[in-house]
Amino acid sequence: MDKQTVKQRFGIIGSSTLLDRAIEIAIQVAPTDLTVFITGESGTGKESFPKIIHQLGARKHGNYIAVNCGAIPEGTIDSELFGHEKGSFTGATDNRKGYFEVANGGTIFLDEIAELPLSTQARLLRVLENGEYMRVGSSKVFKTDVRIVAATNVNVPTAIADGKFREDLYYRLNTVPINVPSLRNRKDDIVLLFRKFAADFADKYRMPTLQLNEEAKQIIMDYSWKGNVRQLKNVTEQISIIEKDRLITPEVLRKYLPDERNSKLPVLYQNQKDSHLSERDLLYKVLFEMRQDVTDLKKLVREIMKDEQMARVFQKSNTNIIRDIVEDTGVAVQMEPMNPHSDFQNVENASPAYASKPQEYDAVPIQESEIVEESLSLQDKEIELIKRALKKHNGKRKIAAQELGISERTLYRKIKEYNIS
Ligand SMILES: Nc1ncnc2c1ncn2[C@@H]1O[C@H](COP(=O)(O)OP(=O)(O)OP(=O)(O)O)[C@@H](O)[C@H]1O
Ligand SMILES: [Mg+2]
């Protein structure tokens, strides 16, 4: 079956390269019995993939069981998955088959797999290794022939580092990884999806279809869609129901899009593969950018202070800032040698707090080496992040820059600066 037919059959909208790639892998891997691990941010559309894999494989006449591991209470998950023997716990009045037994000969989709308790992960590892499992309350070994497809929007390497996910299980599951791209990484699909959802909701609510004007189109393409397709679908539905005027302008649209300016936090990428950016990586990135800003500011201030006349003007018009910096750190900027007649001296006189710390006027000059030293590990981290983003996107700078949250030009400059090949 080709990509296009699969999209039609499973209701997948989009034609971006990254999405196509994910679908192609699913088509290729379907006829095999390999375990597939689907990753991607929340709302990207992961749930279609196990269906494709099952339907296009040899097991399509067998059972397909989808289990949301996050929705089953910890106390009953083992029994649900592997079954139990009568009397094994209060309420176990009968023997019960687990999903692995029911799905024998078919496919089991373990959604939200990172939510599994560690003890269940150990049982699952055994199934993956030799198809064996035991019912709860029994020591009899059962065999099952199940194809496993798992999915998560959690960053598994981080979960492993936090001791919440077994590393050996991760490698077992990750035989064939499929990453479903976020909407930010397939901007061209956004308008297509909007159109499809608008048509569906027009049908459902028996109203004319929503249209976006050109500016509004640009806005939905530039928006970050942290909830991905699910969020886009919800927003389209809300607008479909509420707005009387069917031509949507930016003003109308903005009412439905949470203001991104209120959220300075980076989007947390929750991809699983080692080459992806983890939450910690992104925090490093933010720290790095902040450090870079501070360094740039320090340099700027130093440059200004070099010029005697400029320094005077600068000191005069920024007395409060300079005082704050010196009071906060004691070592902020290299001041002009204190001249009793300078304007800056007047600040001292005007401020008792400042005047009580005369030694702070002997501000330590900032040395370039100091700045470099202080940023070394963060800089290494940044280089590593850039390399990983480039690797992930096969050297495509545009997409790598998008993921890193910097402009393509900045990325280009950094590649040159750090001599990244
Ligand atoms: N390419 C697509 N075309 C059409 N609809 C899509 C597409 N991708 C996702 N959707 C729709 O978006 C919604 C969210 O998709 P889905 O439930 O598969 O997300 P998910 O990746 O499993 O998210 P989570 O990690 O939060 O469970 C569903 O209603 C799905 O039908
Ligand atoms: Mg899901």
Side-chain angles (χ1 to χ4, degrees), residues 36 42 104 134 151 162 164 172 178 219 231 241 255 261 312 330 370 393:
V36 181
S42 182
N104 195 6
M134 286 186 288
D162 294 345
K164 292 185 183 143
R172 271 276 167 192
I178 295 183
I219 287 175
Q231 187 188 8
I241 298 168
K255 288 192 283 182
R261 283 168 307 180
R312 243 178 258 282
E370 224 175 88
H393 298 295

Short mmCIF file of all heavy atoms in Angstrom, two decimals, residues 36 42 104 134 151 162 164 172 178 219 231 241 255 261 312 330 370 393:
data_model
loop_
_atom_site.label_atom_id
_atom_site.label_comp_id
_atom_site.label_asym_id
_atom_site.label_seq_id
_atom_site.Cartn_x
_atom_site.Cartn_y
_atom_site.Cartn_z
N VAL A 36 7.83 -1.83 17.49
CA VAL A 36 7.93 -0.44 17.01
C VAL A 36 7.67 0.50 18.18
O VAL A 36 6.75 0.26 18.98
CB VAL A 36 6.91 -0.17 15.88
CG1 VAL A 36 7.03 1.26 15.37
CG2 VAL A 36 7.10 -1.16 14.73
N SER A 42 2.72 15.41 22.58
CA SER A 42 1.31 15.14 22.77
C SER A 42 0.49 15.75 21.62
O SER A 42 0.74 16.87 21.19
CB SER A 42 0.88 15.76 24.10
OG SER A 42 -0.45 15.46 24.33
N ASN A 104 -2.95 -12.80 21.60
CA ASN A 104 -2.08 -13.84 21.02
C ASN A 104 -2.36 -13.99 19.52
O ASN A 104 -3.51 -14.15 19.10
CB ASN A 104 -2.37 -15.16 21.76
CG ASN A 104 -1.29 -16.19 21.50
OD1 ASN A 104 -0.27 -15.87 20.86
ND2 ASN A 104 -1.50 -17.39 21.97
N MET A 134 3.76 -14.66 33.28
CA MET A 134 3.00 -15.44 34.26
C MET A 134 1.79 -14.63 34.68
O MET A 134 1.88 -13.41 34.80
CB MET A 134 3.87 -15.74 35.48
CG MET A 134 4.92 -16.78 35.21
SD MET A 134 5.85 -17.25 36.67
CE MET A 134 6.85 -15.84 36.94
N ALA A 151 3.94 3.44 22.51
CA ALA A 151 4.02 4.88 22.22
C ALA A 151 4.15 5.67 23.51
O ALA A 151 3.71 5.22 24.58
CB ALA A 151 2.77 5.35 21.45
N ASP A 162 16.00 9.34 35.50
CA ASP A 162 15.29 9.55 36.77
C ASP A 162 14.92 8.23 37.46
O ASP A 162 14.22 8.23 38.47
CB ASP A 162 14.00 10.35 36.53
CG ASP A 162 14.30 11.77 36.07
OD1 ASP A 162 15.46 12.19 36.22
OD2 ASP A 162 13.39 12.44 35.56
N LYS A 164 12.88 5.99 36.33
CA LYS A 164 11.46 5.64 36.17
C LYS A 164 11.23 4.67 35.02
O LYS A 164 10.12 4.16 34.85
CB LYS A 164 10.64 6.91 35.92
CG LYS A 164 10.59 7.80 37.14
CD LYS A 164 9.68 8.98 36.88
CE LYS A 164 9.69 9.92 38.06
NZ LYS A 164 9.63 11.32 37.66
N ARG A 172 15.01 -2.65 24.02
CA ARG A 172 14.21 -3.73 23.45
C ARG A 172 13.05 -3.17 22.61
O ARG A 172 12.75 -3.65 21.54
CB ARG A 172 13.62 -4.58 24.57
CG ARG A 172 14.51 -5.69 24.98
CD ARG A 172 14.30 -6.86 24.05
NE ARG A 172 15.35 -7.85 24.21
CZ ARG A 172 15.54 -8.85 23.38
NH1 ARG A 172 14.77 -8.97 22.33
NH2 ARG A 172 16.51 -9.71 23.57
N ILE A 178 9.79 5.32 15.50
CA ILE A 178 9.09 6.22 14.56
C ILE A 178 8.81 7.50 15.33
O ILE A 178 8.19 7.46 16.40
CB ILE A 178 7.76 5.62 14.06
CG1 ILE A 178 8.03 4.37 13.21
CG2 ILE A 178 6.97 6.65 13.24
CD1 ILE A 178 6.77 3.75 12.61
N ILE A 219 -0.77 33.61 10.62
CA ILE A 219 -0.74 33.51 12.09
C ILE A 219 -0.82 32.06 12.55
O ILE A 219 -0.05 31.63 13.40
CB ILE A 219 -1.87 34.37 12.71
CG1 ILE A 219 -1.48 35.84 12.56
CG2 ILE A 219 -2.10 34.01 14.18
CD1 ILE A 219 -2.51 36.81 13.01
N GLN A 231 -4.73 20.35 19.56
CA GLN A 231 -5.05 21.74 19.90
C GLN A 231 -5.64 22.46 18.69
O GLN A 231 -6.63 23.18 18.82
CB GLN A 231 -3.77 22.46 20.38
CG GLN A 231 -4.03 23.85 20.90
CD GLN A 231 -2.75 24.63 21.19
OE1 GLN A 231 -1.65 24.18 20.86
NE2 GLN A 231 -2.89 25.79 21.80
N ILE A 241 -18.02 26.89 16.17
CA ILE A 241 -19.26 27.00 16.92
C ILE A 241 -19.59 28.45 17.27
O ILE A 241 -20.72 28.90 17.14
CB ILE A 241 -19.18 26.16 18.22
CG1 ILE A 241 -19.00 24.68 17.87
CG2 ILE A 241 -20.41 26.36 19.09
CD1 ILE A 241 -18.62 23.81 19.04
N LYS A 255 -8.22 35.60 19.62
CA LYS A 255 -9.05 35.35 20.82
C LYS A 255 -8.97 33.87 21.23
O LYS A 255 -9.21 33.51 22.37
CB LYS A 255 -10.52 35.68 20.51
CG LYS A 255 -10.80 37.16 20.40
CD LYS A 255 -12.30 37.42 20.39
CE LYS A 255 -12.91 37.09 19.04
NZ LYS A 255 -14.32 37.32 18.88
N ARG A 261 3.23 35.23 24.24
CA ARG A 261 4.14 36.16 24.92
C ARG A 261 4.09 36.00 26.43
O ARG A 261 4.99 36.34 27.14
CB ARG A 261 3.81 37.60 24.55
CG ARG A 261 4.31 37.99 23.19
CD ARG A 261 3.71 39.28 22.78
NE ARG A 261 2.25 39.22 22.91
CZ ARG A 261 1.45 40.24 22.62
NH1 ARG A 261 1.94 41.38 22.22
NH2 ARG A 261 0.15 40.12 22.73
N ARG A 312 30.68 59.49 30.56
CA ARG A 312 30.08 60.54 31.38
C ARG A 312 28.57 60.63 31.12
O ARG A 312 27.77 60.62 32.04
CB ARG A 312 30.72 61.89 31.04
CG ARG A 312 31.44 62.49 32.22
CD ARG A 312 32.08 63.79 31.78
NE ARG A 312 33.50 63.58 31.56
CZ ARG A 312 34.36 63.50 32.58
NH1 ARG A 312 33.96 63.62 33.82
NH2 ARG A 312 35.63 63.32 32.36
N GLY A 330 28.85 44.02 43.16
CA GLY A 330 30.13 44.57 43.58
C GLY A 330 31.15 44.53 42.45
O GLY A 330 32.20 45.14 42.54
N GLU A 370 37.67 35.58 31.79
CA GLU A 370 36.72 35.26 32.85
C GLU A 370 35.38 34.85 32.24
O GLU A 370 34.76 33.87 32.62
CB GLU A 370 36.49 36.52 33.66
CG GLU A 370 36.50 36.33 35.14
CD GLU A 370 36.38 37.68 35.79
OE1 GLU A 370 35.24 38.11 35.99
OE2 GLU A 370 37.41 38.33 36.03
N HIS A 393 18.00 16.22 12.00
CA HIS A 393 17.32 16.67 10.79
C HIS A 393 18.21 16.54 9.55
O HIS A 393 18.08 17.30 8.60
CB HIS A 393 16.83 18.11 10.99
CG HIS A 393 15.84 18.22 12.10
ND1 HIS A 393 14.61 17.62 12.05
CD2 HIS A 393 15.90 18.81 13.32
CE1 HIS A 393 13.95 17.84 13.18
NE2 HIS A 393 14.71 18.56 13.97
#
